Amino acid sequence: MNWKQLWEDYKGRLLGTAAAILFIPIYLFFGFWNMLFCALLLYVGYTIGKYKDLDQGPLIPWRELMDWLNARWRPFK
C-alpha cells in the first residue's frame, strides 16, 4: 500500500488526526487534565474523519432528532 492509496482511502481520518495533533502541543503545556482533553480531541478528529471516509452520513441525525422533538413536544395541540 503506497501513500497515494492511503490518502485516497483514509483522507478524512488522516486530516482529522493531523488537525488534532496540531492542537495537542498547545494543551500539553497546561497540565495533565488538559492532556486528557487532547486525547478527546484526537478521538473526535479521528471519528469525524472516519464517518467522512465511510460516507455514513452525519454524526448526529439532525432530521430524525427534529422530527422526534416535534412529535414529542407539540406546543399547540
Side-chain angles (χ1 to χ4, degrees):
M1 187 174 257
N2 59 21
W3 289 106
K4 186 176 182 179
Q5 186 178 2
L6 278 174
W7 179 255
E8 290 171 1
D9 293 341
Y10 303 110
K11 182 179 180 180
R13 290 179 219 186
L14 290 170
L15 287 175
T17 304
I21 288 173
L22 287 175
F23 288 112
I24 286 175
I26 295 169
Y27 290 102
L28 286 178
F29 291 114
F30 295 109
F32 174 74
W33 293 108
N34 287 328
M35 182 190 65
L36 292 178
F37 181 71
C38 290
L40 176 67
L41 282 178
L42 185 61
Y43 175 74
V44 168
Y46 177 81
T47 303
I48 291 172
K50 181 179 174 183
Y51 271 86
K52 182 75 172 160
D53 284 342
L54 299 176
D55 290 328
Q56 292 181 343
L59 192 59
I60 299 172
W62 293 108
R63 184 174 304 269
E64 290 85 9
L65 182 62
M66 291 304 295
D67 290 341
W68 180 80
L69 286 174
N70 285 332
R72 177 88 171 129
W73 290 295
R74 292 179 56 193
F76 303 107
K77 289 184 177 184

